[in-house]
Amino acid sequence: GVQLVESGGGSVQAGGSLRLSCAASGSFHRYNCLAWFRQAPGREREVVSVIYTTDGTTYYDDDVNGRFTISADNAKNTVSLQMNSLKPDDTAVYYCAEVFVWNARNCNNRTDFVDWGQGTQVTVSS
């Protein structure tokens, strides 16, 4: 399997930026589908963004599209989430997730992810 460790969370004022990173160890290779999820208190976990490391295909939830950017560095086994123009509604625990898939069409917001990190807290104040 793949072990995932998130970092980069913290507190920021509305309009600010944060960059989350997820370090992967284990069987991390070119056919990985990686995602960032978030879960706010009292709400279900939701997908934020997805990337297929083979060809860079990405998906963004409508709420973050244009503000967040997901990227993967296969040489460093990391996936990052650059978050700009943060809003109080972005406050949540953010999780990195991964699964092995053979092609990009199986890497999207409906994918069943297998490996998960422990999460990192992001707090945006108004």
Side-chain angles (χ1 to χ4, degrees), residues 14-29:
S17 299
L18 283 174
R19 184 177 181 87
L20 305 181
S21 291
C22 175
S25 59
S27 304
F28 189 83
H29 54 71

Side-chain angles (χ1 to χ4, degrees), residues 94-109:
Y94 283 71
Y95 298 90
C96 179
E98 180 274 346
V99 67
F100 172 87
V101 296
W102 281 112
N103 52 65
R105 66 174 180 268
N106 292 327
C107 180
N108 52 61
N109 60 316

Side-chain angles (χ1 to χ4, degrees), residues 113-124:
F113 290 88
V114 173
D115 298 300
W116 293 82
Q118 294 300 307
T120 185
Q121 176 70 46
V122 171
T123 303
V124 184

Side-chain angles (χ1 to χ4, degrees), residues 19 28 32 34 51-54 56 58 69-81:
R19 184 177 181 87
F28 189 83
N32 286 96
L34 290 117
I51 187 168
Y52 188 53
T53 60
T54 300
T58 59
T69 302
I70 191 171
S71 60
D73 186 335
N74 291 346
K76 296 182 179 180
N77 288 1
T78 60
V79 60
S80 299
L81 186 69

Side-chain angles (χ1 to χ4, degrees), residues 35-88:
W36 285 97
F37 285 74
R38 66 185 180 187
Q39 186 167 20
R43 299 184 64 177
E44 292 188 354
R45 186 167 57 190
E46 61 181 5
V47 62
V48 175
S49 183
V50 181
I51 187 168
Y52 188 53
T53 60
T54 300
D55 60 9
T57 301
T58 59
Y59 160 86
Y60 294 96
D61 180 78
D62 287 345
D63 188 50
V64 307
N65 195 22
R67 299 189 298 123
F68 291 9
T69 302
I70 191 171
S71 60
D73 186 335
N74 291 346
K76 296 182 179 180
N77 288 1
T78 60
V79 60
S80 299
L81 186 69
Q82 178 66 42
M83 306 186 294
N84 298 329
S85 302
L86 284 161
K87 308 173 183 178

